[in-house]
Amino acid sequence: MAAADPSRDRADKHELILEAAIRVFAEKGFHGARISDVADAAGVADGTIYLYFKNKDDLLLSIFEEKMVELTGGLRDALAEGNTALEKIERFARYHFRMVQDHRAVAEVLQIELRLSNKFLKEYRPEKLWDYLGIFAALVREGQDEGVIRKDIDPFMAMWAFFGAMDEMAMQWVLAKHRTFSLDAAADTVVGIFIRGLAAPPPGGSNPREQT
Amino acid sequence: MAAADPSRDRADKHELILEAAIRVFAEKGFHGARISDVADAAGVADGTIYLYFKNKDDLLLSIFEEKMVELTGGLRDALAEGNTALEKIERFARYHFRMVQDHRAVAEVLQIELRLSNKFLKEYRPEKLWDYLGIFAALVREGQDEGVIRKDIDPFMAMWAFFGAMDEMAMQWVLAKHRTFSLDAAADTVVGIFIRGLAAPPPGGSNPREQT
Amino acid sequence: MAAADPSRDRADKHELILEAAIRVFAEKGFHGARISDVADAAGVADGTIYLYFKNKDDLLLSIFEEKMVELTGGLRDALAEGNTALEKIERFARYHFRMVQDHRAVAEVLQIELRLSNKFLKEYRPEKLWDYLGIFAALVREGQDEGVIRKDIDPFMAMWAFFGAMDEMAMQWVLAKHRTFSLDAAADTVVGIFIRGLAAPPPGGSNPREQT
Amino acid sequence: MAAADPSRDRADKHELILEAAIRVFAEKGFHGARISDVADAAGVADGTIYLYFKNKDDLLLSIFEEKMVELTGGLRDALAEGNTALEKIERFARYHFRMVQDHRAVAEVLQIELRLSNKFLKEYRPEKLWDYLGIFAALVREGQDEGVIRKDIDPFMAMWAFFGAMDEMAMQWVLAKHRTFSLDAAADTVVGIFIRGLAAPPPGGSNPREQT
DNA sequence: AATGAATGAGCTTTCATTCAT
DNA sequence: AATGAATGAAAGCTCATTCAT
C-alpha cells in the first residue's frame, strides 16, 4: 500500500531525476549534457523533468542544495564525537575530504560543473554552503571561548581561508582524476596548518612570533 | 623610428586588443561579451582579432598568461626585500591581495571569468600559475632548510592550501563587489594562520600539540 | 428533479467550461491561454475538458458556434418589429453594434482571438456566420421585391460589404479598448451609408449619378 | 562599377529576402514557414536573414510596411487623374481591388497571414495602413468642401466602413482562392453603395430620407 | 465520469569564425 | 594587414493531448 502515497511517488521521481543528472553532469559536464541525456538516464521523457525542476539551471542548483543538506547533516554527526573545538575542526577537515573521496560523481559536479555556472557564481546566494561553513565559524568562536583559539582571529575570515584551502585541494584532486596525491595527505596538511595557525599560545609560552 | 618597427606595431595592437578584452570581459563577462564588443572597444574590425589571437578562448587565456607573467615578475621584486622565508611568505600574501585590490578589472577576469571557462578549468595546464605558486613552494623548502618551517610539511600541499585560502577570499571580495570586508584583513588572516601553521616549534620549545 | 437528468448535467458542464473559456481567452488571448487555465477557471481537471470538447480549437469554434446561434436568434427578434426591408437593415446594424457593446468578453473572443486562428480562417466553414449574414442578403432581396432597393445590387456582394464595414468598426473599437469612438456613431455611419447606398431612386427621380 | 555601391548591395539582399519571404509565407503560411525555408528560397544562410531583419515577426511586418508604401504611392498616381472627390473615391476602390488581383502572393500575406499575427493585431500600430486609408478620409473632406458629400458624414468613420467593406471582400476572394466571384463585381458593389451613400442630395432635391 | 501525471514534437536565434576583397 | 558580410550549427522548453487509475 506504500505506493499509494502520491507525495512519496513524487519524491521518488524527483530523486530519480536528480541522481541521473549527477551521473550525466559528472560524465559529460553540465554544458555538454543535454536535457534529453538526463531524461534518458532517468528513464523519463524530456518534459517530465520540467514537472520536477524549473529548468536546466535549477536542476544543477538542486543538486547543490540537496547534497549540501546531506553533507551538513553528516558533518554534525561527525563532529558530535569531538571534544574540543580544535578537535572538531580536525574532524571537519577529515570529514570533508572523505566525502569528496567517497562521492566522486557528486564531487565532480559540485567542484567543477557548479563553478562553471554563471548563475551559481554570480547570481545565486549559496545559503546551504553558508550553513555548512557556518559550522566552522561557530567552532572558531567556541574555541575562542574555550581559550584554545586566538582571540584576534575573525571567525568569518578564518572560515573562508579554511574552506578555500580545502576546496582548492579537492578541486585539484578531482581535476587530476585523483592520480597525483591522496586526500588523506591533503587533510593532514590542512589540519597541520590550521590547528597550529588558529591555536592560542600555551599559557606562559614564549613564542617569539606571538608579538606580531 | 618607432613606427618603422613592424614587430613593434604588431605588439602594440596585440596589447591594444588584450586590454580592450579585459575591460569588456570584466564588464559583461566572458560569455556575455561578443567578439564584436571587444573589436569595438579596441577600435578594430572583428576579423582583425583573429590575426592576433587564435579564438575567443585564446584571448582569455592570453590575458591569463600575460597578467600572470607580470604578477610573477612583481612578486619577485616584492620578495627581494624579505629576509627569512617566513617573512617572504608574509610579503607574498600581502602582495597578492594588493594586486587584486589595485587591478580590479584584471582581478574580475582572472577570479571570475577565467573560472567559468571550460577550456581553462578542464583542458588547460596553467603553467603560469604554477610558476607563480611555485615560488611559494620554494619558499617553504627554503624555510625548511633554514629550520624555521616544519619538515613534515609537503611544500606542494601547503602551496595549494595557501593559494586556496587567498583565492577564496579574493573571490568573495570580487563577487561581493568589495563591500563586505577589506583585503588587508584578509591578508592579516592568511598571514596569521599560515606563518604559525607552518613555523617550526622554537628549539627546545614544548608545544603540547607538537606531538600530533 | 433536475439533478436526475444526466443530459442536463452534461449540458451544464459543457456550458460551464465554455463560459470559462470565453473569460480566459478574452483575458489572455487564445494562444496565451493554456488548457489548464481554462480548466482552473472552470474548476475542473484538464482532462475533463476533453470529455466535452475535441481539442483546444474545438473549444474556440464552439464558442463561435454557440454565440452565433444566440446572436442570430436575437437578430430575428430585433427585426420582427421592422416594417420595410430598409428599416430592418437599419435595425440589423444597430442590433449588431449593441451586441458588441453589451458582450465585451464574447466580442473580444469573436472579433480578435477567432481571427488569429489558422483553423478558423483557413479550414473552417463558418456556416453559423452565413446564417447570420444570410438574413441580410434575404433583406436585400426582400427590398428589391418591394422596389425599395436597387435591382442591380448583388445581395451577396452587398452582404459582404455590409458585414465588412460593421466588422472593421467593431474590431477597431475592441482593439482600441473602446476609447476612441462610440459604437452608436459607428451604427449611424453604417446606416447612413448603406441605406442610401442600397436605396432605389425615388420613382421619377432624376439623380444624375444614376446613369453610372 | 555599380556593384561597388555597398548600400546598393545591402538594399538588394534586403529585397531578395523580402520577396522570398512573400513567396514562402503565401505558400506555407507564416506559422508553417520556417526561417530556413525563407533562407533556402532566398539562397542565403539562415543567419543572414538576421542581418537584415530583427526576427521572424519583423520580416512579416517589413513586408507589410514596404508593400503598403508601394501601394500608397501607386494610389496617389491612380487618383491624380480623377476630377471630383467622388470620382477619386471610385478610383480608389477600383485601384485597391486591382492591386489585390495583380499581386496574389502579396495579397495572400497581407490579407491572411498578417491578420493571424498576434503581434500585428494587438501590439503594432499600422501607421502605413493609416497613411493609405487617410487618403480616403481626405477625399471625404475634400468632397464635403466641394459640396458633393454630405456634411454629416464623419470622414474617419466612413474610412473604416469603406476599408472594412473592401477588405472583407478581398479576404473572401483570397480565401476562396478566387473562384467564387470577380473583384470587378466587388469594386462595382463598393462603388455603387459608397458613392450614393456618401453623396450629398442634389440641390433642391427632395429625397425623403434626407431628413434623417 | 473525472482526474492529472506523463509525454515528446518542434524551431527560432545567436555569435564565433571564415575568407573574399 | 585589415575588413566585415556571410555562415550554420546546436538545444532548451512549452503545452496540447492521452490514458491508467
Side-chain angles (χ1 to χ4, degrees):
Chain A
M1 287 303 165
D5 180 351
S7 79
R8 183 65 252 170
D9 283 4
R10 201 178 155 74
D12 284 351
K13 194 154 284 182
H14 180 100
E15 187 69 6
L16 177 73
I17 293 169
L18 199 95
E19 294 297 333
I22 290 171
R23 277 174 281 135
V24 173
F25 290 169
E27 190 190 341
K28 306 189 153 192
F30 178 70
H31 290 295
R34 283 162 295 167
I35 282 291
S36 62
D37 293 331
V38 177
D40 288 350
V44 300
D46 291 19
T48 303
I49 291 182
Y50 292 88
L51 296 178
Y52 293 87
F53 300 92
K54 204 149 50 75
N55 51 39
K56 201 184 174 191
D57 273 316
D58 183 43
L59 191 43
L60 182 61
L61 296 181
S62 295
I63 292 171
F64 167 72
E65 300 219 332
E66 304 200 10
K67 291 302 167 184
M68 284 309 297
V69 169
E70 286 180 33
L71 191 65
T72 303
L75 176 63
R76 291 187 203 280
D77 296 343
L79 299 190
E81 300 165 41
N83 295 313
T84 67
L86 287 173
E87 195 180 323
K88 285 177 185 167
I89 284 173
E90 176 169 351
R91 283 174 182 275
F92 194 143
R94 299 202 186 279
Y95 171 79
H96 186 86
F97 287 114
R98 190 166 60 251
M99 289 298 106
V100 171
Q101 186 152 52
D102 292 351
H103 302 276
R104 302 218 173 160
V106 175
E108 196 102 13
V109 174
L110 297 191
Q111 291 286 346
I112 312 295
E113 301 309 324
L114 196 61
R115 317 303 174 96
L116 289 169
S117 157
N118 237 306
K119 198 78 148 220
F120 177 74
L121 209 55
K122 295 186 182 168
E123 300 168 28
Y124 183 70
R125 290 174 50 97
E127 314 261 7
K128 295 291 190 286
L129 174 63
W130 299 342
D131 291 346
Y132 182 64
L133 297 183
I135 292 176
F136 179 87
L139 291 178
V140 171
R141 258 183 254 99
E142 197 179 309
Q144 289 174 329
D145 292 344
E146 293 172 2
V148 297
I149 289 181
R150 281 187 290 128
K151 297 281 198 297
D152 62 339
I153 288 285
D154 177 327
F156 279 97
M157 292 296 216
M159 172 184 98
W160 287 122
F162 179 72
F163 173 63
M166 293 201 304
D167 195 51
E168 183 65 37
M169 294 174 111
M171 177 163 275
Q172 294 302 329
W173 186 79
V174 171
L175 282 172
K177 304 290 177 199
H178 340 124
R179 283 186 299 267
T180 47
F181 61 90
S182 88
L183 289 181
D184 284 346
D188 289 342
T189 301
V190 167
V191 168
I193 292 173
F194 278 81
I195 293 300
R196 287 182 184 79
L198 297 172
S206 62
N207 187 331
R209 290 205 61 85
E210 209 61 42
Q211 295 146 7
T212 306
Chain B
M1 286 308 224
D5 180 352
S7 78
R8 183 64 253 165
D9 282 5
R10 198 176 157 75
D12 283 353
K13 194 157 285 184
H14 179 100
E15 187 68 8
L16 177 72
I17 292 169
L18 199 95
E19 293 296 334
I22 291 171
R23 275 174 292 155
V24 173
F25 291 168
E27 190 190 342
K28 304 187 156 193
F30 178 71
H31 289 294
R34 281 161 297 167
I35 281 290
S36 63
D37 292 330
V38 176
D40 288 351
V44 299
D46 293 16
T48 302
I49 290 183
Y50 290 87
L51 299 176
Y52 295 87
F53 300 92
K54 203 148 51 72
N55 51 40
K56 198 184 176 191
D57 274 315
D58 183 42
L59 192 43
L60 182 61
L61 296 181
S62 296
I63 292 171
F64 167 72
E65 300 216 335
E66 305 201 8
K67 291 302 167 186
M68 284 309 297
V69 168
E70 287 180 32
L71 191 66
T72 303
L75 176 62
R76 291 188 203 281
D77 295 345
L79 299 190
E81 300 164 40
N83 295 312
T84 67
L86 287 174
E87 196 180 321
K88 286 178 185 167
I89 285 173
E90 174 167 353
R91 284 176 181 274
F92 193 143
R94 299 206 185 277
Y95 171 78
H96 186 86
F97 286 114
R98 190 165 60 251
M99 288 299 104
V100 171
Q101 185 152 52
D102 292 352
H103 303 276
R104 302 217 174 162
V106 175
E108 196 101 14
V109 174
L110 298 190
Q111 291 287 344
I112 312 293
E113 301 309 326
L114 196 62
R115 319 305 173 97
L116 289 169
S117 156
N118 238 305
K119 196 78 144 220
F120 178 75
L121 211 57
K122 294 185 184 170
E123 300 169 28
Y124 181 71
R125 288 172 51 94
E127 313 263 7
K128 295 293 191 287
L129 175 62
W130 298 341
D131 291 347
Y132 181 66
L133 297 184
I135 293 176
F136 179 87
L139 290 176
V140 171
R141 259 184 252 101
E142 199 180 309
Q144 289 174 328
D145 292 344
E146 292 172 3
V148 297
I149 289 181
R150 283 186 290 128
K151 298 283 197 298
D152 62 338
I153 287 285
D154 177 325
F156 278 96
M157 293 296 219
M159 172 184 98
W160 288 122
F162 179 70
F163 174 62
M166 292 200 305
D167 195 51
E168 184 64 39
M169 294 174 111
M171 177 163 274
Q172 294 301 330
W173 185 78
V174 172
L175 283 172
K177 306 289 177 201
H178 339 125
R179 283 186 298 266
T180 44
F181 59 90
S182 89
L183 288 181
D184 285 346
D188 290 343
T189 300
V190 167
V191 168
I193 291 173
F194 278 82
I195 294 300
R196 285 183 185 78
L198 296 172
S206 62
N207 187 331
R209 290 205 60 83
E210 207 61 42
Q211 296 145 4
T212 307
Chain C
M1 288 308 228
D5 179 352
S7 78
R8 184 63 250 169
D9 282 5
R10 196 176 159 76
D12 283 352
K13 193 156 283 184
H14 179 102
E15 187 69 7
L16 177 73
I17 293 169
L18 200 95
E19 293 296 332
I22 291 171
R23 276 175 283 136
V24 173
F25 291 168
E27 190 191 341
K28 305 189 154 192
F30 179 70
H31 289 294
R34 281 161 296 167
I35 282 290
S36 62
D37 292 331
V38 177
D40 288 350
V44 299
D46 293 16
T48 303
I49 291 183
Y50 290 86
L51 298 175
Y52 294 86
F53 299 91
K54 202 148 52 72
N55 50 40
K56 199 184 176 190
D57 274 315
D58 182 43
L59 191 44
L60 182 61
L61 295 180
S62 295
I63 292 171
F64 167 72
E65 298 216 336
E66 304 200 11
K67 291 303 168 183
M68 283 310 297
V69 167
E70 286 180 32
L71 191 66
T72 304
L75 176 62
R76 289 187 205 283
D77 295 344
L79 299 190
E81 300 165 41
N83 294 314
T84 68
L86 287 174
E87 196 180 320
K88 286 177 182 167
I89 285 173
E90 175 168 352
R91 283 175 181 275
F92 193 142
R94 299 202 185 280
Y95 171 78
H96 186 86
F97 286 114
R98 190 165 59 250
M99 289 300 106
V100 170
Q101 186 151 53
D102 293 351
H103 303 276
R104 301 216 173 163
V106 175
E108 196 101 14
V109 175
L110 299 189
Q111 290 286 344
I112 311 293
E113 301 309 325
L114 197 60
R115 319 303 174 98
L116 289 169
S117 157
N118 238 305
K119 196 77 144 221
F120 177 74
L121 211 57
K122 294 184 182 170
E123 300 169 27
Y124 181 70
R125 289 173 49 97
E127 312 263 7
K128 295 291 192 286
L129 173 63
W130 297 342
D131 291 346
Y132 181 64
L133 296 184
I135 294 176
F136 179 87
L139 290 177
V140 172
R141 257 182 253 101
E142 196 179 309
Q144 288 173 329
D145 292 345
E146 290 173 3
V148 297
I149 289 181
R150 282 186 293 126
K151 299 283 197 299
D152 62 339
I153 288 286
D154 177 326
F156 278 96
M157 294 295 220
M159 172 183 98
W160 289 121
F162 179 73
F163 173 63
M166 292 200 305
D167 194 51
E168 184 65 39
M169 295 174 110
M171 176 163 275
Q172 294 300 331
W173 185 80
V174 171
L175 284 172
K177 306 289 176 199
H178 341 124
R179 284 187 297 267
T180 44
F181 60 88
S182 88
L183 288 180
D184 285 346
D188 290 342
T189 300
V190 167
V191 167
I193 291 173
F194 277 82
I195 294 299
R196 285 183 185 80
L198 296 171
S206 61
N207 186 331
R209 289 206 60 84
E210 209 59 44
Q211 295 147 5
T212 304
Chain D
M1 290 300 163
D5 179 353
S7 78
R8 180 67 251 168
D9 283 4
R10 203 180 152 73
D12 284 352
K13 194 154 284 183
H14 180 101
E15 186 71 7
L16 177 72
I17 293 169
L18 199 95
E19 294 297 332
I22 291 170
R23 276 174 283 135
V24 173
F25 290 169
E27 190 189 340
K28 305 187 152 193
F30 178 72
H31 290 293
R34 283 162 298 164
I35 282 291
S36 63
D37 293 331
V38 176
D40 288 350
V44 300
D46 292 17
T48 303
I49 291 182
Y50 291 87
L51 296 177
Y52 293 87
F53 300 92
K54 205 149 47 76
N55 50 40
K56 200 183 174 190
D57 273 316
D58 182 44
L59 190 44
L60 182 62
L61 295 181
S62 294
I63 293 171
F64 167 72
E65 298 218 334
E66 303 200 12
K67 291 303 168 184
M68 284 308 298
V69 168
E70 285 180 33
L71 191 66
T72 303
L75 175 63
R76 291 187 203 282
D77 295 343
L79 299 189
E81 299 164 40
N83 294 313
T84 67
L86 287 174
E87 196 180 320
K88 287 177 183 167
I89 285 173
E90 175 168 353
R91 281 174 182 276
F92 194 143
R94 298 201 186 280
Y95 171 80
H96 185 87
F97 286 114
R98 190 166 60 250
M99 289 298 105
V100 171
Q101 185 150 53
D102 292 351
H103 303 276
R104 301 216 175 163
V106 175
E108 196 101 13
V109 174
L110 298 190
Q111 292 286 343
I112 311 293
E113 300 308 325
L114 197 61
R115 318 304 174 96
L116 288 169
S117 157
N118 237 306
K119 198 78 148 219
F120 178 75
L121 208 57
K122 295 185 183 170
E123 299 168 29
Y124 183 70
R125 289 175 49 98
E127 313 262 6
K128 295 290 189 288
L129 174 63
W130 298 341
D131 291 346
Y132 181 65
L133 297 184
I135 294 177
F136 179 87
L139 290 177
V140 171
R141 260 183 251 99
E142 197 180 308
Q144 289 173 329
D145 292 344
E146 291 172 3
V148 297
I149 288 180
R150 281 186 292 126
K151 298 283 198 297
D152 63 338
I153 287 286
D154 176 327
F156 278 95
M157 293 296 218
M159 174 184 97
W160 288 122
F162 179 73
F163 173 63
M166 292 201 305
D167 195 53
E168 183 65 38
M169 294 174 110
M171 177 162 275
Q172 294 302 330
W173 186 80
V174 171
L175 283 171
K177 306 290 176 196
H178 339 125
R179 283 186 299 266
T180 45
F181 60 91
S182 87
L183 288 180
D184 284 346
D188 290 342
T189 300
V190 167
V191 168
I193 292 174
F194 277 82
I195 293 300
R196 284 183 186 79
L198 296 171
S206 61
N207 185 331
R209 292 203 59 86
E210 208 61 42
Q211 297 145 6
T212 307

